[in-house]
Each structure stands twice: as structure tokens, then as C-alpha cells.
Amino acid sequence: DAKTTQPPSMDCAEGRAANLPCNHSTISGNEYVYWYRQIHSQGPQYIIHGLKNNETNEMASLIITEDRKSSTLILPHATLRDTAVYYCIVSNNAGNMLTFGGGTRLMVKP
Amino acid sequence: NAGVTQTPKFQVLKTGQSMTLQCAQDMNHNSMYWYRQDPGMGLRLIYYSASEGTTDKGEVPNGYNVSRLNKREFSLRLESAAPSQTSVYFCASSSRRGNYGYTFGSGTRLTVV
């Protein structure tokens, strides 16, 4: 699976959009981009995933560049409860064998 | 609908003791996984089971064994616990294609003294 690079930490003001970047320059054609988050010491929570097209669900939007070498997770109106570590993961189309890197620690501030 | 249930939630072992961590899912998922997470680190895959009857090593399998008892249950065994195995252990499951991602349990916090 391709490796990903994320900033170790980011801050965001409550109510503003949080834009979390991820670089995955070695992604191959059949690999998806997955995003998970982990709040405190809870088990990671699935957020969203995509292959080529931009995706949106009730939690977030995923923007994937045309060359697929990078992506951005967007939380449109961040709340304090969105404070967490966010993991960007690239994996095959079966979604198996997810490899978690260090992630981005997002701090949402009042 | 409980999702993924792990037991116990907390455990303290002495070096050399053995124990089994239990995991069960009620979502009819085919694949199940065991990860460990050390303080301040990301998750590392220990073992996984792509389907009932199969198991494979992940990134850090040494010191562990697993059993896929049936489609619902996937256990992780420490035969002779070591302080280096102090960690939080997460079990997860997914459908074969993983189109809706993994579902994780709440974790087992294990301390080996």
C-alpha cells in the first residue's frame, strides 16, 4: 500500500471549516483513500473514503486531486467534539490491511 | 446492534502469564483484525482473518496467536506476556469489500508488569 504524509497537528476555530491535507504521491490506480479519526483512546471511527471522485457524507467531504497524489478532508463546521487524531490511509479496493500512520492531531478551539 | 465487542476492557498481567483477548461482531462481517496501539503511536496490525477459517500475520505478530472461532469471533492470545506487550488492543471487522470501512471495538487496555 502507498504511504501517506500528514501534518502532525493542526488547529481550527470552532464553527469554521477544518481542512486536513494528505499527500499520497505513490498511490496506484486501484487504491482508495480512507479517512478515520480517533477521539481520545477510543477505537478509530470510519469517516469517508474515495477513489477518484470527490465524496460527501453526513460527517465530511473528501476532495481528491485529479492526479490522485493528494487529498483533503473537510469538516465543514468544526465543533469541539471533532478534536481528534485524523488518519489518512491508502489501501487496495478490498479495504483490507489498513496501515495507520501517525495521523494529524486536530485541535478545535472555542 | 452492538457492533464489535471486546472483553476484557482492562487487564493487568504479570510477566510470563498468558491470557486471551476476546472479540465478537454482530454485523455479519467476513474480515476481522487485531491491532495494537502504543502510547502516542498509530495502530499496528498484529493478525487478521480475511474470512472464516483463515488467519494471516500482520506487521507485528511475534508473541501472539489468533483463532477465528467462527464468523463472529476472533480471539487474540498472549502465551507468555512481556512488558513490551503493554498496549491498547483494538479488534475491528469489515465486510469483504470494506466499502463502509472498518468498525472498531472500544479496546482492551493491557498492562504487563
mmCIF file of all heavy atoms in Angstrom, chain B residues 61-111:
data_model
loop_
_atom_site.group_PDB
_atom_site.id
_atom_site.type_symbol
_atom_site.label_atom_id
_atom_site.label_comp_id
_atom_site.label_asym_id
_atom_site.label_seq_id
_atom_site.Cartn_x
_atom_site.Cartn_y
_atom_site.Cartn_z
ATOM 1 N N PRO B 61 3.384 -9.685 14.507
ATOM 2 C CA PRO B 61 2.729 -10.887 15.020
ATOM 3 C C PRO B 61 3.471 -11.616 16.146
ATOM 4 O O PRO B 61 2.870 -12.457 16.835
ATOM 5 C CB PRO B 61 2.671 -11.776 13.784
ATOM 6 C CG PRO B 61 3.925 -11.405 13.028
ATOM 7 C CD PRO B 61 4.088 -9.917 13.248
ATOM 8 N N ASN B 62 4.747 -11.304 16.340
ATOM 9 C CA ASN B 62 5.540 -12.082 17.288
ATOM 10 C C ASN B 62 5.002 -11.967 18.710
ATOM 11 O O ASN B 62 4.749 -10.879 19.212
ATOM 12 C CB ASN B 62 7.006 -11.634 17.250
ATOM 13 C CG ASN B 62 7.673 -11.998 15.950
ATOM 14 O OD1 ASN B 62 7.184 -12.852 15.211
ATOM 15 N ND2 ASN B 62 8.772 -11.344 15.649
ATOM 16 N N GLY B 63 4.856 -13.136 19.360
ATOM 17 C CA GLY B 63 4.365 -13.162 20.731
ATOM 18 C C GLY B 63 2.866 -13.339 20.838
ATOM 19 O O GLY B 63 2.326 -13.365 21.951
ATOM 20 N N TYR B 64 2.189 -13.464 19.693
ATOM 21 C CA TYR B 64 0.737 -13.571 19.675
ATOM 22 C C TYR B 64 0.286 -14.767 18.834
ATOM 23 O O TYR B 64 0.973 -15.175 17.903
ATOM 24 C CB TYR B 64 0.099 -12.313 19.070
ATOM 25 C CG TYR B 64 0.494 -11.028 19.738
ATOM 26 C CD1 TYR B 64 1.549 -10.264 19.224
ATOM 27 C CD2 TYR B 64 -0.189 -10.554 20.847
ATOM 28 C CE1 TYR B 64 1.910 -9.072 19.823
ATOM 29 C CE2 TYR B 64 0.170 -9.347 21.439
ATOM 30 C CZ TYR B 64 1.223 -8.617 20.930
ATOM 31 O OH TYR B 64 1.579 -7.428 21.528
ATOM 32 N N ASN B 65 -0.874 -15.290 19.170
ATOM 33 C CA ASN B 65 -1.564 -16.259 18.338
ATOM 34 C C ASN B 65 -3.025 -15.842 18.242
ATOM 35 O O ASN B 65 -3.543 -15.159 19.137
ATOM 36 C CB ASN B 65 -1.465 -17.673 18.929
ATOM 37 C CG ASN B 65 -0.087 -18.258 18.732
ATOM 38 O OD1 ASN B 65 0.396 -18.386 17.611
ATOM 39 N ND2 ASN B 65 0.552 -18.609 19.837
ATOM 40 N N VAL B 66 -3.678 -16.276 17.181
ATOM 41 C CA VAL B 66 -5.092 -15.927 16.998
ATOM 42 C C VAL B 66 -5.888 -17.164 16.630
ATOM 43 O O VAL B 66 -5.350 -18.155 16.148
ATOM 44 C CB VAL B 66 -5.291 -14.856 15.898
ATOM 45 C CG1 VAL B 66 -4.741 -13.506 16.348
ATOM 46 C CG2 VAL B 66 -4.679 -15.303 14.587
ATOM 47 N N SER B 67 -7.193 -17.051 16.858
ATOM 48 C CA SER B 67 -8.134 -18.095 16.458
ATOM 49 C C SER B 67 -9.388 -17.439 15.923
ATOM 50 O O SER B 67 -9.981 -16.591 16.601
ATOM 51 C CB SER B 67 -8.501 -18.981 17.653
ATOM 52 O OG SER B 67 -7.393 -19.695 18.130
ATOM 53 N N ARG B 68 -9.770 -17.825 14.696
ATOM 54 C CA ARG B 68 -11.064 -17.369 14.163
ATOM 55 C C ARG B 68 -12.045 -18.495 14.478
ATOM 56 O O ARG B 68 -12.183 -19.467 13.754
ATOM 57 C CB ARG B 68 -10.978 -17.124 12.659
ATOM 58 C CG ARG B 68 -12.271 -16.587 12.073
ATOM 59 C CD ARG B 68 -12.484 -15.143 12.431
ATOM 60 N NE ARG B 68 -13.736 -14.605 11.939
ATOM 61 C CZ ARG B 68 -13.880 -13.996 10.764
ATOM 62 N NH1 ARG B 68 -12.828 -13.845 9.961
ATOM 63 N NH2 ARG B 68 -15.053 -13.521 10.406
ATOM 64 N N LEU B 69 -12.716 -18.361 15.603
ATOM 65 C CA LEU B 69 -13.539 -19.434 16.148
ATOM 66 C C LEU B 69 -14.744 -19.714 15.257
ATOM 67 O O LEU B 69 -15.170 -20.869 15.101
ATOM 68 C CB LEU B 69 -13.986 -19.044 17.554
ATOM 69 C CG LEU B 69 -12.826 -18.713 18.520
ATOM 70 C CD1 LEU B 69 -13.359 -18.134 19.823
ATOM 71 C CD2 LEU B 69 -11.978 -19.948 18.777
ATOM 72 N N ASN B 70 -15.316 -18.690 14.709
ATOM 73 C CA ASN B 70 -16.455 -18.779 13.790
ATOM 74 C C ASN B 70 -16.538 -17.420 13.102
ATOM 75 O O ASN B 70 -15.631 -16.585 13.274
ATOM 76 C CB ASN B 70 -17.743 -19.125 14.538
ATOM 77 C CG ASN B 70 -17.925 -18.276 15.778
ATOM 78 O OD1 ASN B 70 -17.907 -17.043 15.686
ATOM 79 N ND2 ASN B 70 -18.065 -18.900 16.938
ATOM 80 N N LYS B 71 -17.590 -17.171 12.370
ATOM 81 C CA LYS B 71 -17.641 -15.911 11.642
ATOM 82 C C LYS B 71 -17.692 -14.714 12.586
ATOM 83 O O LYS B 71 -17.207 -13.637 12.279
ATOM 84 C CB LYS B 71 -18.855 -15.885 10.702
ATOM 85 C CG LYS B 71 -18.823 -14.742 9.710
ATOM 86 C CD LYS B 71 -19.915 -14.871 8.665
ATOM 87 C CE LYS B 71 -19.759 -13.786 7.611
ATOM 88 N NZ LYS B 71 -20.792 -13.915 6.553
ATOM 89 N N ARG B 72 -18.289 -14.885 13.747
ATOM 90 C CA ARG B 72 -18.483 -13.787 14.687
ATOM 91 C C ARG B 72 -17.270 -13.487 15.553
ATOM 92 O O ARG B 72 -17.069 -12.346 15.951
ATOM 93 C CB ARG B 72 -19.660 -14.090 15.614
ATOM 94 C CG ARG B 72 -21.024 -14.098 14.989
ATOM 95 C CD ARG B 72 -22.088 -14.280 16.062
ATOM 96 N NE ARG B 72 -22.116 -13.164 17.008
ATOM 97 C CZ ARG B 72 -21.730 -13.238 18.272
ATOM 98 N NH1 ARG B 72 -21.252 -14.368 18.768
ATOM 99 N NH2 ARG B 72 -21.788 -12.185 19.062
ATOM 100 N N GLU B 73 -16.462 -14.498 15.867
ATOM 101 C CA GLU B 73 -15.482 -14.348 16.944
ATOM 102 C C GLU B 73 -14.039 -14.522 16.467
ATOM 103 O O GLU B 73 -13.722 -15.443 15.691
ATOM 104 C CB GLU B 73 -15.781 -15.365 18.050
ATOM 105 C CG GLU B 73 -17.152 -15.197 18.682
ATOM 106 C CD GLU B 73 -17.462 -16.321 19.641
ATOM 107 O OE1 GLU B 73 -17.708 -17.455 19.167
ATOM 108 O OE2 GLU B 73 -17.461 -16.059 20.852
ATOM 109 N N PHE B 74 -13.180 -13.656 16.982
ATOM 110 C CA PHE B 74 -11.760 -13.678 16.624
ATOM 111 C C PHE B 74 -10.983 -13.364 17.894
ATOM 112 O O PHE B 74 -11.056 -12.244 18.403
ATOM 113 C CB PHE B 74 -11.506 -12.627 15.543
ATOM 114 C CG PHE B 74 -10.140 -12.658 14.909
ATOM 115 C CD1 PHE B 74 -9.491 -13.852 14.643
ATOM 116 C CD2 PHE B 74 -9.525 -11.473 14.532
ATOM 117 C CE1 PHE B 74 -8.246 -13.875 14.038
ATOM 118 C CE2 PHE B 74 -8.273 -11.481 13.921
ATOM 119 C CZ PHE B 74 -7.634 -12.683 13.680
ATOM 120 N N SER B 75 -10.240 -14.327 18.409
ATOM 121 C CA SER B 75 -9.549 -14.128 19.680
ATOM 122 C C SER B 75 -8.053 -13.961 19.475
ATOM 123 O O SER B 75 -7.468 -14.469 18.518
ATOM 124 C CB SER B 75 -9.832 -15.306 20.623
ATOM 125 O OG SER B 75 -9.315 -16.503 20.078
ATOM 126 N N LEU B 76 -7.442 -13.259 20.403
ATOM 127 C CA LEU B 76 -6.003 -13.000 20.392
ATOM 128 C C LEU B 76 -5.404 -13.542 21.682
ATOM 129 O O LEU B 76 -5.873 -13.193 22.769
ATOM 130 C CB LEU B 76 -5.736 -11.496 20.288
ATOM 131 C CG LEU B 76 -4.259 -11.060 20.313
ATOM 132 C CD1 LEU B 76 -3.576 -11.433 18.996
ATOM 133 C CD2 LEU B 76 -4.154 -9.548 20.542
ATOM 134 N N ARG B 77 -4.384 -14.373 21.562
ATOM 135 C CA ARG B 77 -3.797 -14.999 22.740
ATOM 136 C C ARG B 77 -2.348 -14.572 22.925
ATOM 137 O O ARG B 77 -1.569 -14.575 21.948
ATOM 138 C CB ARG B 77 -3.889 -16.524 22.665
ATOM 139 C CG ARG B 77 -3.341 -17.216 23.913
ATOM 140 C CD ARG B 77 -3.817 -18.629 24.043
ATOM 141 N NE ARG B 77 -3.248 -19.272 25.217
ATOM 142 C CZ ARG B 77 -3.744 -19.159 26.460
ATOM 143 N NH1 ARG B 77 -4.814 -18.407 26.672
ATOM 144 N NH2 ARG B 77 -3.166 -19.800 27.468
ATOM 145 N N LEU B 78 -2.033 -14.218 24.153
ATOM 146 C CA LEU B 78 -0.657 -13.975 24.561
ATOM 147 C C LEU B 78 -0.224 -15.178 25.385
ATOM 148 O O LEU B 78 -0.772 -15.430 26.461
ATOM 149 C CB LEU B 78 -0.541 -12.707 25.405
ATOM 150 C CG LEU B 78 -0.680 -11.351 24.711
ATOM 151 C CD1 LEU B 78 -2.119 -11.102 24.260
ATOM 152 C CD2 LEU B 78 -0.195 -10.239 25.622
ATOM 153 N N GLU B 79 0.712 -15.947 24.887
ATOM 154 C CA GLU B 79 1.109 -17.192 25.573
ATOM 155 C C GLU B 79 1.990 -16.908 26.786
ATOM 156 O O GLU B 79 1.871 -17.558 27.814
ATOM 157 C CB GLU B 79 1.851 -18.100 24.598
ATOM 158 C CG GLU B 79 0.979 -18.680 23.512
ATOM 159 C CD GLU B 79 -0.041 -19.706 24.039
ATOM 160 O OE1 GLU B 79 0.047 -20.079 25.239
ATOM 161 O OE2 GLU B 79 -0.920 -20.116 23.269
ATOM 162 N N SER B 80 2.890 -15.951 26.677
ATOM 163 C CA SER B 80 3.805 -15.614 27.765
ATOM 164 C C SER B 80 4.027 -14.103 27.705
ATOM 165 O O SER B 80 4.896 -13.627 26.980
ATOM 166 C CB SER B 80 5.125 -16.364 27.613
ATOM 167 O OG SER B 80 6.014 -16.015 28.657
ATOM 168 N N ALA B 81 3.216 -13.397 28.458
ATOM 169 C CA ALA B 81 3.200 -11.940 28.339
ATOM 170 C C ALA B 81 4.538 -11.310 28.732
ATOM 171 O O ALA B 81 5.214 -11.765 29.682
ATOM 172 C CB ALA B 81 2.090 -11.358 29.200
ATOM 173 N N ALA B 82 4.893 -10.256 28.017
ATOM 174 C CA ALA B 82 6.119 -9.495 28.288
ATOM 175 C C ALA B 82 5.760 -8.020 28.455
ATOM 176 O O ALA B 82 4.757 -7.558 27.878
ATOM 177 C CB ALA B 82 7.097 -9.666 27.132
ATOM 178 N N PRO B 83 6.558 -7.268 29.207
ATOM 179 C CA PRO B 83 6.271 -5.831 29.387
ATOM 180 C C PRO B 83 6.138 -5.077 28.061
ATOM 181 O O PRO B 83 5.382 -4.104 27.981
ATOM 182 C CB PRO B 83 7.473 -5.343 30.205
ATOM 183 C CG PRO B 83 7.889 -6.535 30.998
ATOM 184 C CD PRO B 83 7.676 -7.708 30.077
ATOM 185 N N SER B 84 6.838 -5.536 27.021
ATOM 186 C CA SER B 84 6.755 -4.880 25.706
ATOM 187 C C SER B 84 5.371 -5.027 25.067
ATOM 188 O O SER B 84 5.070 -4.346 24.076
ATOM 189 C CB SER B 84 7.804 -5.464 24.758
ATOM 190 O OG SER B 84 7.587 -6.853 24.571
ATOM 191 N N GLN B 85 4.558 -5.907 25.615
ATOM 192 C CA GLN B 85 3.209 -6.088 25.100
ATOM 193 C C GLN B 85 2.180 -5.217 25.827
ATOM 194 O O GLN B 85 0.978 -5.302 25.535
ATOM 195 C CB GLN B 85 2.801 -7.560 25.173
ATOM 196 C CG GLN B 85 3.645 -8.446 24.260
ATOM 197 C CD GLN B 85 3.290 -9.910 24.356
ATOM 198 O OE1 GLN B 85 3.327 -10.498 25.442
ATOM 199 N NE2 GLN B 85 2.969 -10.513 23.226
ATOM 200 N N THR B 86 2.648 -4.396 26.718
ATOM 201 C CA THR B 86 1.773 -3.397 27.328
ATOM 202 C C THR B 86 1.303 -2.445 26.240
ATOM 203 O O THR B 86 2.115 -1.816 25.558
ATOM 204 C CB THR B 86 2.518 -2.619 28.421
ATOM 205 O OG1 THR B 86 2.811 -3.497 29.504
ATOM 206 C CG2 THR B 86 1.679 -1.446 28.920
ATOM 207 N N SER B 87 -0.012 -2.367 26.058
ATOM 208 C CA SER B 87 -0.545 -1.612 24.937
ATOM 209 C C SER B 87 -2.070 -1.578 25.046
ATOM 210 O O SER B 87 -2.658 -2.177 25.937
ATOM 211 C CB SER B 87 -0.130 -2.272 23.617
ATOM 212 O OG SER B 87 -0.429 -1.439 22.516
ATOM 213 N N VAL B 88 -2.682 -0.866 24.119
ATOM 214 C CA VAL B 88 -4.126 -0.937 23.952
ATOM 215 C C VAL B 88 -4.390 -1.778 22.705
ATOM 216 O O VAL B 88 -3.813 -1.517 21.644
ATOM 217 C CB VAL B 88 -4.768 0.448 23.794
ATOM 218 C CG1 VAL B 88 -6.283 0.313 23.633
ATOM 219 C CG2 VAL B 88 -4.443 1.317 25.002
ATOM 220 N N TYR B 89 -5.237 -2.764 22.837
ATOM 221 C CA TYR B 89 -5.516 -3.678 21.743
ATOM 222 C C TYR B 89 -6.919 -3.412 21.198
ATOM 223 O O TYR B 89 -7.893 -3.363 21.951
ATOM 224 C CB TYR B 89 -5.413 -5.125 22.230
ATOM 225 C CG TYR B 89 -3.988 -5.507 22.554
ATOM 226 C CD1 TYR B 89 -3.439 -5.212 23.807
ATOM 227 C CD2 TYR B 89 -3.180 -6.129 21.604
ATOM 228 C CE1 TYR B 89 -2.119 -5.533 24.105
ATOM 229 C CE2 TYR B 89 -1.866 -6.457 21.890
ATOM 230 C CZ TYR B 89 -1.340 -6.155 23.139
ATOM 231 O OH TYR B 89 -0.038 -6.473 23.423
ATOM 232 N N PHE B 90 -6.977 -3.243 19.887
ATOM 233 C CA PHE B 90 -8.250 -2.991 19.220
ATOM 234 C C PHE B 90 -8.562 -4.126 18.260
ATOM 235 O O PHE B 90 -7.715 -4.534 17.470
ATOM 236 C CB PHE B 90 -8.212 -1.682 18.441
ATOM 237 C CG PHE B 90 -8.176 -0.451 19.293
ATOM 238 C CD1 PHE B 90 -6.996 0.240 19.478
ATOM 239 C CD2 PHE B 90 -9.330 0.008 19.909
ATOM 240 C CE1 PHE B 90 -6.962 1.385 20.267
ATOM 241 C CE2 PHE B 90 -9.308 1.153 20.695
ATOM 242 C CZ PHE B 90 -8.117 1.825 20.882
ATOM 243 N N CYS B 91 -9.792 -4.561 18.311
ATOM 244 C CA CYS B 91 -10.323 -5.506 17.350
ATOM 245 C C CYS B 91 -11.193 -4.734 16.362
ATOM 246 O O CYS B 91 -11.832 -3.730 16.742
ATOM 247 C CB CYS B 91 -11.150 -6.572 18.065
ATOM 248 S SG CYS B 91 -11.959 -7.769 17.000
ATOM 249 N N ALA B 92 -11.210 -5.157 15.119
ATOM 250 C CA ALA B 92 -12.026 -4.496 14.113
ATOM 251 C C ALA B 92 -12.584 -5.543 13.161
ATOM 252 O O ALA B 92 -12.081 -6.664 13.067
ATOM 253 C CB ALA B 92 -11.214 -3.460 13.339
ATOM 254 N N SER B 93 -13.644 -5.165 12.452
ATOM 255 C CA SER B 93 -14.199 -6.036 11.437
ATOM 256 C C SER B 93 -14.600 -5.208 10.231
ATOM 257 O O SER B 93 -14.791 -3.983 10.332
ATOM 258 C CB SER B 93 -15.411 -6.804 11.978
ATOM 259 O OG SER B 93 -16.508 -5.937 12.196
ATOM 260 N N SER B 94 -14.705 -5.876 9.089
ATOM 261 C CA SER B 94 -15.157 -5.208 7.873
ATOM 262 C C SER B 94 -15.822 -6.217 6.951
ATOM 263 O O SER B 94 -15.561 -7.422 7.038
ATOM 264 C CB SER B 94 -13.986 -4.522 7.153
ATOM 265 O OG SER B 94 -13.132 -5.481 6.563
ATOM 266 N N SER B 95 -16.667 -5.701 6.071
ATOM 267 C CA SER B 95 -17.219 -6.562 5.040
ATOM 268 C C SER B 95 -16.102 -6.891 4.060
ATOM 269 O O SER B 95 -15.047 -6.252 4.066
ATOM 270 C CB SER B 95 -18.372 -5.866 4.321
ATOM 271 O OG SER B 95 -17.891 -4.713 3.662
ATOM 272 N N ARG B 96 -16.310 -7.852 3.217
ATOM 273 C CA ARG B 96 -15.216 -8.313 2.355
ATOM 274 C C ARG B 96 -14.627 -7.182 1.521
ATOM 275 O O ARG B 96 -13.437 -7.066 1.357
ATOM 276 C CB ARG B 96 -15.695 -9.434 1.435
ATOM 277 C CG ARG B 96 -14.567 -10.097 0.654
ATOM 278 C CD ARG B 96 -15.106 -11.171 -0.261
ATOM 279 N NE ARG B 96 -15.806 -12.202 0.482
ATOM 280 C CZ ARG B 96 -15.197 -13.212 1.097
ATOM 281 N NH1 ARG B 96 -13.901 -13.313 1.070
ATOM 282 N NH2 ARG B 96 -15.912 -14.122 1.741
ATOM 283 N N ARG B 97 -15.518 -6.316 1.031
ATOM 284 C CA ARG B 97 -15.010 -5.257 0.183
ATOM 285 C C ARG B 97 -14.659 -3.994 0.968
ATOM 286 O O ARG B 97 -14.067 -3.090 0.439
ATOM 287 C CB ARG B 97 -16.050 -4.914 -0.894
ATOM 288 C CG ARG B 97 -16.202 -6.004 -1.940
ATOM 289 C CD ARG B 97 -16.970 -5.492 -3.132
ATOM 290 N NE ARG B 97 -16.325 -4.350 -3.747
ATOM 291 C CZ ARG B 97 -15.302 -4.437 -4.580
ATOM 292 N NH1 ARG B 97 -14.783 -5.605 -4.870
ATOM 293 N NH2 ARG B 97 -14.783 -3.353 -5.123
ATOM 294 N N GLY B 98 -15.021 -3.968 2.238
ATOM 295 C CA GLY B 98 -14.659 -2.820 3.071
ATOM 296 C C GLY B 98 -15.242 -1.517 2.602
ATOM 297 O O GLY B 98 -14.708 -0.456 2.890
ATOM 298 N N ASN B 99 -16.370 -1.574 1.883
ATOM 299 C CA ASN B 99 -16.921 -0.350 1.328
ATOM 300 C C ASN B 99 -17.412 0.631 2.371
ATOM 301 O O ASN B 99 -17.580 1.812 2.086
ATOM 302 C CB ASN B 99 -18.064 -0.683 0.370
ATOM 303 C CG ASN B 99 -17.554 -1.213 -0.943
ATOM 304 O OD1 ASN B 99 -16.417 -0.940 -1.321
ATOM 305 N ND2 ASN B 99 -18.363 -1.977 -1.628
ATOM 306 N N TYR B 100 -17.669 0.177 3.555
ATOM 307 C CA TYR B 100 -18.084 1.069 4.622
ATOM 308 C C TYR B 100 -17.052 1.122 5.726
ATOM 309 O O TYR B 100 -17.337 1.509 6.828
ATOM 310 C CB TYR B 100 -19.462 0.655 5.153
ATOM 311 C CG TYR B 100 -20.519 0.819 4.100
ATOM 312 C CD1 TYR B 100 -20.911 -0.253 3.325
ATOM 313 C CD2 TYR B 100 -21.087 2.057 3.847
ATOM 314 C CE1 TYR B 100 -21.850 -0.101 2.331
ATOM 315 C CE2 TYR B 100 -22.029 2.218 2.858
ATOM 316 C CZ TYR B 100 -22.410 1.137 2.098
ATOM 317 O OH TYR B 100 -23.343 1.289 1.124
ATOM 318 N N GLY B 101 -15.847 0.729 5.401
ATOM 319 C CA GLY B 101 -14.762 0.877 6.342
ATOM 320 C C GLY B 101 -14.773 -0.176 7.427
ATOM 321 O O GLY B 101 -15.596 -1.077 7.465
ATOM 322 N N TYR B 102 -13.822 -0.032 8.293
ATOM 323 C CA TYR B 102 -13.722 -0.902 9.451
ATOM 324 C C TYR B 102 -14.633 -0.388 10.570
ATOM 325 O O TYR B 102 -14.811 0.819 10.729
ATOM 326 C CB TYR B 102 -12.305 -0.867 10.025
ATOM 327 C CG TYR B 102 -11.233 -1.612 9.293
ATOM 328 C CD1 TYR B 102 -11.377 -2.008 7.985
ATOM 329 C CD2 TYR B 102 -10.045 -1.912 9.951
ATOM 330 C CE1 TYR B 102 -10.357 -2.681 7.337
ATOM 331 C CE2 TYR B 102 -9.016 -2.583 9.317
ATOM 332 C CZ TYR B 102 -9.185 -2.964 8.008
ATOM 333 O OH TYR B 102 -8.176 -3.622 7.386
ATOM 334 N N THR B 103 -15.126 -1.328 11.382
ATOM 335 C CA THR B 103 -15.770 -0.974 12.641
ATOM 336 C C THR B 103 -14.876 -1.482 13.758
ATOM 337 O O THR B 103 -14.541 -2.668 13.787
ATOM 338 C CB THR B 103 -17.164 -1.605 12.757
ATOM 339 O OG1 THR B 103 -17.981 -1.145 11.680
ATOM 340 C CG2 THR B 103 -17.813 -1.206 14.078
ATOM 341 N N PHE B 104 -14.503 -0.588 14.655
ATOM 342 C CA PHE B 104 -13.589 -0.933 15.734
ATOM 343 C C PHE B 104 -14.331 -1.141 17.045
ATOM 344 O O PHE B 104 -15.361 -0.504 17.304
ATOM 345 C CB PHE B 104 -12.553 0.169 15.947
ATOM 346 C CG PHE B 104 -11.436 0.150 14.955
ATOM 347 C CD1 PHE B 104 -11.589 0.758 13.715
ATOM 348 C CD2 PHE B 104 -10.232 -0.462 15.241
ATOM 349 C CE1 PHE B 104 -10.563 0.746 12.783
ATOM 350 C CE2 PHE B 104 -9.198 -0.473 14.323
ATOM 351 C CZ PHE B 104 -9.361 0.122 13.097
ATOM 352 N N GLY B 105 -13.751 -2.014 17.877
ATOM 353 C CA GLY B 105 -14.218 -2.125 19.245
ATOM 354 C C GLY B 105 -13.641 -1.010 20.099
ATOM 355 O O GLY B 105 -12.868 -0.178 19.610
ATOM 356 N N SER B 106 -14.005 -1.005 21.366
ATOM 357 C CA SER B 106 -13.580 0.081 22.254
ATOM 358 C C SER B 106 -12.210 -0.157 22.866
ATOM 359 O O SER B 106 -11.678 0.724 23.551
ATOM 360 C CB SER B 106 -14.617 0.286 23.359
ATOM 361 O OG SER B 106 -14.785 -0.923 24.090
ATOM 362 N N GLY B 107 -11.626 -1.312 22.635
ATOM 363 C CA GLY B 107 -10.261 -1.547 23.064
ATOM 364 C C GLY B 107 -10.118 -2.301 24.376
ATOM 365 O O GLY B 107 -11.030 -2.288 25.221
ATOM 366 N N THR B 108 -8.993 -2.978 24.514
ATOM 367 C CA THR B 108 -8.582 -3.629 25.771
ATOM 368 C C THR B 108 -7.264 -3.009 26.184
ATOM 369 O O THR B 108 -6.296 -3.040 25.434
ATOM 370 C CB THR B 108 -8.402 -5.139 25.589
ATOM 371 O OG1 THR B 108 -9.651 -5.753 25.283
ATOM 372 C CG2 THR B 108 -7.829 -5.763 26.865
ATOM 373 N N ARG B 109 -7.253 -2.442 27.379
ATOM 374 C CA ARG B 109 -6.032 -1.813 27.896
ATOM 375 C C ARG B 109 -5.279 -2.818 28.740
ATOM 376 O O ARG B 109 -5.740 -3.172 29.821
ATOM 377 C CB ARG B 109 -6.393 -0.553 28.678
ATOM 378 C CG ARG B 109 -6.750 0.582 27.758
ATOM 379 C CD ARG B 109 -7.774 1.524 28.328
ATOM 380 N NE ARG B 109 -8.131 2.549 27.349
ATOM 381 C CZ ARG B 109 -8.969 2.362 26.316
ATOM 382 N NH1 ARG B 109 -9.537 1.201 26.130
ATOM 383 N NH2 ARG B 109 -9.231 3.352 25.480
ATOM 384 N N LEU B 110 -4.147 -3.280 28.223
ATOM 385 C CA LEU B 110 -3.371 -4.343 28.861
ATOM 386 C C LEU B 110 -2.068 -3.773 29.404
ATOM 387 O O LEU B 110 -1.336 -3.087 28.688
ATOM 388 C CB LEU B 110 -3.059 -5.451 27.852
ATOM 389 C CG LEU B 110 -2.152 -6.570 28.362
ATOM 390 C CD1 LEU B 110 -2.867 -7.369 29.446
ATOM 391 C CD2 LEU B 110 -1.730 -7.479 27.225
ATOM 392 N N THR B 111 -1.809 -4.099 30.662
ATOM 393 C CA THR B 111 -0.544 -3.724 31.293
ATOM 394 C C THR B 111 0.146 -5.001 31.750
ATOM 395 O O THR B 111 -0.466 -5.823 32.446
ATOM 396 C CB THR B 111 -0.755 -2.806 32.507
ATOM 397 O OG1 THR B 111 -1.431 -1.622 32.080
ATOM 398 C CG2 THR B 111 0.581 -2.423 33.138
#
